[in-house]
Amino acid sequence: MSKISVIIPIYNTEEFLDASITSAINQTYRDLEIVLVDDGSSETCQKSIDAFAERDSRIVVHRLPKRKGTGAARNLGIEKATGKYLYFLDSDDYLPDHSLKSLIENMGDSSLISGQTMNLNKMNETENNVLIESEVISQTLENAFKNMSVLNRLISADFVHKHGLRFSEATDCYSDLQFLAGLIALLDRSPVLNQCTYYKRTRNDPISNPALMQLDTEKKVTDFLYIFCLLKTEFKAKNDVQKYLDQQFLQFYRRTVVMFFQDRNQIDHHFDSLSNAAQSLNDEVISNGNIFVKSELLALKNKKAMKLKRLLKTHHGLRELKTAFSGRTKLLVFLYRRVFSNMPLKEKTIVFESFLGKNYSDSPKNIYEYMVSKNLDYQYIWIFNEKRKIPGNAKQIKRFSLRYYYYMATAKFWVSNSRIPLHLNKREGNIYLQTWHGTPLKKLVFDMNEIHSANPKYKLHFYQQSRRWDYLISANQYSSEIFRRAFKFEKEMLEFGYPRNDLLHSPQKENKANEIRKKLGISDNKKVILYAPTWRDDEFYKPGQYKFQLKLDLQKMKAQLGDDYVILLRMHYFIADHIDTAGVEDFAFNLSKYDDIAELYLISDILITDYSSVFFDYANLRRPILFFTYDLEKYRDTLRGFYIDMEKELPGPLLKSTDEVLDAIENIESVNKNYKHSYDEFYDKICSWETGNATEMVVKRVFNV
Ligand code: C2G
């Protein structure tokens, strides 16, 4: 057999490395050398790389003294490779098992063969490794070189050395173009395989650890133009290369420049360099573009900047209109951006929303009720999914209705405890108070490696949405530190405690508790247990609709506690499943739809929860908290990960079964005694800022009243 050198440049991609290198090790084609080229990675990543080298004698490691970019790393790989063939694999991608076997068996006497690539969105998307009969479907250079990537091509090492083919080391992006141009200049045919021989992953954290192609667009434009002009000159006499480069310019203009030029300042910054590059474009290639691209490239080539701006304005306008009429939401977003956002800003209008319009609760509710009580002259808008009875004179607007988009665009203030849709761009003058919805136990956003939730672009979207926040409320120092890092939040943190917890420190809380018990029909001679669990990231029907299986044995609890207690069942607002209380209706009350959980804390003598942030708030009452953590290992180690050590720092016991819960409740006094020290420490760390005046301090700071 002939050895293949798989060259893998690595820069801080340790979270993807295992999948990538393992997929090379597991190739059914065994005569391999796996060349890991460390491009100046961090210590942690270097350790991972060395650990892999121990796993398989075919792995060799080479290091660049400091980061020099993918091009330089691949060039070092070429120099060090000893195989008859070369194959480049990115360290965040991976291969089906038969890739190299399929490629080499179909290579014949060619110097290069290319396979099909599949783009994967999720971290753990299951790929189909099914081996379909592989066959060569084309020999033309045009089909072999449709993109600007060297990936997924098996190349003769002799051919590369003989012609001195190398990657550009002058730019981060598009360094492949130099290598590919060299290949095209020398080949007259190149087989393409019908089989998928490469899985390309879309990175889920383009903010803190972007893949090469997620770097900001300006860098991509300057890098592309540099390489394009260099190669157009170097390969002036090679028609195939000229045609290939022109095609790539056309694609690059269509896919990247048109969107980039939505920001009109960028046209001024980059017009000259683009226009100079366009001088050498072949008119025939330009005519392949659609009517807009064709006229815009001609304006570029003829150095007509004003004409290009006019053409792009029409192009963007028509694209938006076309999008606008492709669906109801798109039309409403078009109206939001192009009509309502150009209307005068209503300086005294505030929009409130809690848990995506699901209920009237949390800090937004406290802020609203405080402002109403002070007769402040604001117009209040509450966003709900369903209308409900609320105090004060707020206008209730249905989420995602036409009026929703109108008020979101014209209200000066947004007060929300969760996320506002990405497509609602923040307009000049808007002030957005993000109250958030809990002290974090579960790892958040940029502190999370893998994202199990349904949306693979979760981190990118979260980053874009959180750039709009002007204020973020934090209930304690612990939260402030986490929010700064996990949200990459750089604006003003309001460190006053949670407005939603003022009720728990209110002098009237006893009277309020009696009112609530009466409203709920709970008899005075019964004590109250509140069970408030959280959701599980990986147990969902679809985004936002999560499953929940009640593990508490309500019959057994009723039998043992029914004379003295009732239990309130309160599911997380993401839970779609209905909780069945048949047979225990006089003992168990499903209050999952009850608006404000703070009112349930007030009437509860004991809280049972798991990994929900509810216990940080409930602790303000200094009442017993039990942690029913039947799936702790799974939740902590695979799903989310926690900020605190559940075994050491909690103000109550971890319980695995209904029996253990019953035993703790029957002996609640000794539980209180055993956990008094932990509880006191926890209270100081988490509740010390809560004074009952958080709402007032927030309103004074944000609304200058
Ligand atoms: N909540 C509730 N009922 C539950 C669970 C939660 O009303 N059974 C409300 C509480 O106000 C809680 C908030 O939703 O503080 C957040 O719920 P978590 O269970 O902590 O889960 P999550 O929505 O992932 O928020 O920083 C907080 C994190 O973002 C956690």
Side-chain angles (χ1 to χ4, degrees), residues 355 359 362 436-442 444 483 487 498 500 531-535 570-574 595 597 601 610-614 617 635 640:
F355 292 123
N359 50 37
D362 214 276
W436 201 245
H437 50 266
T439 293
L441 168 68
K442 307 181 233 178
L444 291 171
F483 289 165
F487 293 156
Y498 261 157
R500 74 184 194 181
Y531 178 48
T534 194
W535 53 296
R570 185 345 186 270
M571 295 306 114
H572 188 279
Y573 58 92
F574 280 167
D595 258 348
I597 193 171
Y601 299 150
D610 43 22
Y611 323 103
S612 177
S613 55
V614 298
D617 304 273
Y635 203 91
R640 272 291 183 115

Coordinates of all heavy atoms in Angstrom, one line a residue, residues 355 359 362 436-442 444 483 487 498 500 531-535 570-574 595 597 601 610-614 617 635 640, ligand 1:
F355 N -40.3 36.3 30.8 CA -40.3 34.9 30.3 C -41.0 34.8 28.9 O -41.9 34.0 28.8 CB -40.9 34.0 31.3 CG -40.1 33.9 32.6 CD1 -40.7 34.2 33.8 CD2 -38.8 33.5 32.5 CE1 -39.9 34.1 35.0 CE2 -38.0 33.4 33.7 CZ -38.6 33.7 34.9
N359 N -45.6 35.0 31.3 CA -46.4 35.4 32.5 C -46.1 36.8 32.9 O -45.2 37.4 32.4 CB -46.3 34.3 33.6 CG -44.9 34.0 33.9 OD1 -44.0 34.8 33.9 ND2 -44.7 32.7 34.2
D362 N -41.7 38.2 38.0 CA -40.3 38.4 38.0 C -40.0 39.9 38.1 O -40.9 40.7 38.4 CB -39.7 37.8 36.7 CG -38.3 37.3 37.0 OD1 -37.3 38.2 37.0 OD2 -38.1 36.1 37.4
W436 N -32.5 39.9 33.7 CA -32.2 38.4 33.7 C -33.1 37.7 34.7 O -34.0 38.4 35.3 CB -30.7 38.2 34.1 CG -30.3 36.8 33.6 CD1 -29.9 35.8 34.4 CD2 -30.3 36.3 32.3 NE1 -29.6 34.7 33.7 CE2 -29.9 34.9 32.4 CE3 -30.6 36.8 31.0 CZ2 -29.7 34.1 31.3 CZ3 -30.5 36.0 29.9 CH2 -30.0 34.7 30.0
H437 N -33.0 36.4 34.8 CA -34.0 35.7 35.6 C -33.5 34.7 36.6 O -34.1 33.7 36.8 CB -34.9 35.0 34.6 CG -34.1 34.2 33.6 ND1 -33.8 34.7 32.4 CD2 -33.6 33.0 33.7 CE1 -33.1 33.7 31.7 NE2 -32.9 32.7 32.5
G438 N -32.3 35.1 37.2 CA -31.9 34.2 38.2 C -30.4 34.2 38.5 O -29.6 34.5 37.5
T439 N -30.0 33.9 39.7 CA -28.6 33.8 40.0 C -28.2 32.4 39.4 O -28.9 31.4 39.6 CB -28.4 33.7 41.6 OG1 -28.7 35.0 42.1 CG2 -27.0 33.4 41.9
P440 N -27.1 32.4 38.7 CA -26.7 31.2 37.9 C -26.1 30.1 38.8 O -25.1 30.3 39.5 CB -25.7 31.7 36.9 CG -25.1 32.9 37.5 CD -26.2 33.5 38.4
L441 N -26.7 28.9 38.6 CA -26.0 27.6 39.1 C -25.4 26.9 37.9 O -24.3 26.5 37.8 CB -27.0 26.7 39.8 CG -26.5 25.3 40.0 CD1 -25.4 25.3 41.1 CD2 -27.7 24.4 40.5
K442 N -26.3 26.8 36.8 CA -25.9 26.1 35.6 C -24.9 27.0 34.8 O -25.2 28.2 34.7 CB -27.1 25.8 34.7 CG -28.2 25.1 35.4 CD -29.4 24.9 34.4 CE -30.7 25.4 34.9 NZ -31.8 25.2 34.0
L444 N -23.3 29.1 31.9 CA -24.0 29.9 31.0 C -23.2 30.2 29.7 O -21.9 30.3 29.8 CB -24.3 31.3 31.6 CG -25.4 31.3 32.7 CD1 -25.4 32.6 33.4 CD2 -26.7 30.9 32.2
F483 N -21.6 36.8 35.2 CA -22.3 37.5 34.0 C -21.3 38.3 33.2 O -21.3 38.3 32.0 CB -23.3 38.5 34.5 CG -24.6 37.9 35.1 CD1 -25.5 38.6 35.9 CD2 -24.9 36.5 34.9 CE1 -26.6 38.0 36.4 CE2 -26.0 35.9 35.5 CZ -26.9 36.7 36.2
F487 N -21.4 36.2 29.8 CA -22.2 37.0 28.8 C -21.3 37.9 28.0 O -21.8 38.6 27.1 CB -23.3 37.8 29.5 CG -24.4 37.1 30.2 CD1 -25.1 37.6 31.2 CD2 -24.7 35.8 29.8 CE1 -26.2 36.9 31.8 CE2 -25.8 35.1 30.4 CZ -26.5 35.6 31.4
Y498 N -32.1 41.7 43.6 CA -33.2 41.4 42.5 C -34.5 42.1 42.9 O -35.0 41.8 44.0 CB -33.4 39.9 42.4 CG -32.7 39.3 41.2 CD1 -32.4 37.9 41.2 CD2 -32.3 40.0 40.1 CE1 -31.8 37.3 40.1 CE2 -31.6 39.5 39.1 CZ -31.4 38.1 39.1 OH -30.7 37.5 38.0
R500 N -37.2 41.3 42.0 CA -38.2 40.2 42.2 C -38.1 39.7 43.7 O -39.1 39.0 44.1 CB -38.0 39.1 41.2 CG -36.8 38.2 41.5 CD -36.7 37.2 40.4 NE -35.8 36.1 40.7 CZ -35.5 35.1 39.9 NH1 -36.0 35.1 38.7 NH2 -34.7 34.2 40.2
Y531 N -42.5 22.2 45.2 CA -41.6 21.5 44.4 C -41.4 22.3 43.1 O -42.3 22.4 42.3 CB -42.1 20.1 44.1 CG -41.1 19.3 43.2 CD1 -39.8 19.2 43.4 CD2 -41.6 18.6 42.1 CE1 -38.9 18.5 42.6 CE2 -40.8 17.9 41.2 CZ -39.4 17.8 41.5 OH -38.6 17.1 40.7
A532 N -40.2 22.8 42.8 CA -39.9 23.7 41.7 C -38.6 23.2 41.0 O -37.5 23.7 41.3 CB -39.8 25.1 42.1
P533 N -38.7 22.2 40.1 CA -37.5 21.7 39.4 C -37.2 22.5 38.1 O -38.0 23.4 37.8 CB -38.0 20.3 38.9 CG -39.5 20.4 38.7 CD -39.9 21.4 39.8
T534 N -36.1 22.3 37.5 CA -35.7 23.0 36.3 C -36.0 22.1 35.1 O -36.6 21.0 35.2 CB -34.3 23.5 36.3 OG1 -34.1 24.4 35.3 CG2 -33.3 22.3 36.2
W535 N -35.5 22.5 33.9 CA -35.7 21.7 32.7 C -34.4 21.0 32.4 O -33.3 21.3 33.0 CB -36.0 22.6 31.5 CG -35.0 23.8 31.3 CD1 -34.8 24.8 32.2 CD2 -34.2 24.0 30.2 NE1 -33.9 25.7 31.7 CE2 -33.5 25.2 30.5 CE3 -33.9 23.4 29.0 CZ2 -32.5 25.8 29.6 CZ3 -33.0 23.9 28.1 CH2 -32.3 25.1 28.5
R570 N -44.7 23.0 40.7 CA -44.4 24.2 39.9 C -43.3 23.9 38.9 O -42.1 23.9 39.2 CB -44.0 25.3 40.8 CG -43.8 26.8 40.3 CD -43.7 27.1 39.0 NE -43.4 28.4 38.6 CZ -44.2 29.4 38.3 NH1 -45.5 29.2 38.5 NH2 -43.9 30.5 37.9
M571 N -43.8 23.6 37.6 CA -42.8 23.2 36.6 C -42.2 24.5 35.9 O -42.8 25.5 35.9 CB -43.5 22.4 35.5 CG -44.0 21.1 36.0 SD -42.7 20.1 36.8 CE -43.3 20.0 38.5
H572 N -41.0 24.3 35.4 CA -40.3 25.4 34.7 C -41.1 25.8 33.4 O -41.8 24.9 32.8 CB -38.9 24.9 34.2 CG -38.1 26.0 33.7 ND1 -38.2 26.4 32.4 CD2 -37.1 26.7 34.2 CE1 -37.3 27.3 32.1 NE2 -36.6 27.6 33.2
Y573 N -41.1 27.1 33.0 CA -41.9 27.5 31.9 C -41.6 26.9 30.6 O -42.3 27.0 29.6 CB -41.9 29.0 31.8 CG -40.6 29.7 31.6 CD1 -40.1 29.9 30.4 CD2 -39.8 30.0 32.7 CE1 -38.8 30.5 30.2 CE2 -38.5 30.5 32.6 CZ -38.0 30.8 31.3 OH -36.8 31.3 31.1
F574 N -40.4 26.2 30.5 CA -40.1 25.5 29.3 C -40.8 24.1 29.2 O -40.8 23.5 28.1 CB -38.6 25.2 29.2 CG -37.8 26.4 28.8 CD1 -36.4 26.4 28.9 CD2 -38.4 27.5 28.2 CE1 -35.6 27.5 28.5 CE2 -37.6 28.6 27.8 CZ -36.2 28.6 28.0
D595 N -48.6 32.8 38.0 CA -47.7 33.8 37.4 C -46.4 34.0 38.1 O -45.3 33.8 37.6 CB -48.4 35.1 37.4 CG -48.9 35.4 35.9 OD1 -48.5 34.7 35.0 OD2 -49.7 36.4 35.8
I597 N -43.7 33.1 40.9 CA -43.2 32.1 41.9 C -42.8 32.7 43.2 O -42.8 32.1 44.2 CB -42.0 31.3 41.3 CG1 -41.7 30.1 42.1 CG2 -40.8 32.2 41.1 CD1 -40.7 29.1 41.5
Y601 N -43.0 31.2 47.0 CA -42.0 31.1 48.0 C -42.5 31.5 49.3 O -42.4 30.9 50.4 CB -40.8 32.0 47.7 CG -40.1 31.7 46.4 CD1 -39.4 32.8 45.7 CD2 -39.9 30.5 45.8 CE1 -38.7 32.6 44.5 CE2 -39.2 30.3 44.7 CZ -38.6 31.3 44.0 OH -37.9 31.1 42.9
D610 N -33.9 21.2 42.3 CA -32.8 20.4 41.9 C -31.7 21.3 41.4 O -30.9 21.8 42.3 CB -33.3 19.4 40.7 CG -34.2 20.2 39.7 OD1 -34.1 21.4 39.6 OD2 -34.9 19.5 39.0
Y611 N -31.7 21.7 40.1 CA -30.6 22.5 39.6 C -31.1 23.9 39.2 O -30.5 24.6 38.4 CB -29.9 21.8 38.4 CG -29.8 20.4 38.6 CD1 -30.7 19.5 37.9 CD2 -28.9 19.8 39.5 CE1 -30.7 18.1 38.1 CE2 -28.9 18.4 39.7 CZ -29.8 17.6 39.0 OH -29.8 16.2 39.2
S612 N -32.3 24.2 39.7 CA -33.0 25.4 39.3 C -32.5 26.6 40.2 O -32.2 26.4 41.4 CB -34.5 25.3 39.5 OG -35.1 26.6 39.2
S613 N -32.4 27.7 39.6 CA -31.9 28.9 40.4 C -32.9 29.4 41.5 O -32.6 30.3 42.2 CB -31.6 30.1 39.4 OG -32.7 30.4 38.7
V614 N -34.0 28.7 41.5 CA -35.1 29.1 42.5 C -34.5 29.2 43.9 O -35.0 30.0 44.7 CB -36.3 28.3 42.4 CG1 -37.0 28.3 41.0 CG2 -36.0 26.8 42.7
D617 N -33.1 32.4 45.4 CA -34.1 33.4 45.9 C -34.8 33.0 47.1 O -34.9 33.7 48.1 CB -35.1 33.6 44.8 CG -34.5 34.0 43.4 OD1 -34.3 35.2 43.2 OD2 -34.2 33.1 42.6
Y635 N -26.6 15.4 34.8 CA -26.9 16.8 34.6 C -25.6 17.6 34.7 O -25.2 18.4 33.9 CB -27.9 17.3 35.6 CG -28.6 18.6 35.1 CD1 -29.8 18.5 34.4 CD2 -28.0 19.8 35.3 CE1 -30.4 19.7 33.9 CE2 -28.6 21.0 34.8 CZ -29.8 20.9 34.1 OH -30.4 22.0 33.6
R640 N -24.9 20.3 31.6 CA -24.6 21.7 31.7 C -23.3 22.0 32.5 O -22.6 22.8 32.1 CB -25.8 22.4 32.5 CG -26.9 22.9 31.7 CD -26.5 24.1 30.8 NE -27.6 24.6 30.0 CZ -28.1 25.8 30.2 NH1 -27.6 26.6 31.1 NH2 -29.2 26.2 29.5
Ligands
C2G1 N1 -38.7 29.2 37.5 C1 -40.0 29.0 37.9 N2 -40.4 27.7 38.1 C2 -39.6 26.7 38.1 C3 -38.2 26.9 37.7 C4 -37.8 28.2 37.5 O1 -40.8 30.0 37.9 N3 -40.0 25.4 38.3 C5 -38.3 30.6 37.3 C6 -37.6 31.2 38.5 O2 -37.8 32.6 38.6 C7 -36.1 30.9 38.2 C8 -36.1 31.1 36.7 O3 -37.3 30.6 36.2 O4 -35.2 31.7 38.9 C9 -34.9 30.4 36.0 O5 -35.2 29.0 36.0 P1 -34.0 27.9 36.2 O6 -34.7 26.7 36.6 O7 -32.9 28.4 37.0 O8 -33.5 27.7 34.7 P2 -33.1 28.6 33.5 O9 -34.4 29.1 32.9 O10 -32.2 27.8 32.7 O11 -32.3 29.9 34.1 O12 -29.2 32.6 35.6 C10 -30.3 31.8 35.7 C11 -30.2 30.8 34.6 O13 -30.3 31.4 33.4 C12 -31.1 29.6 34.8

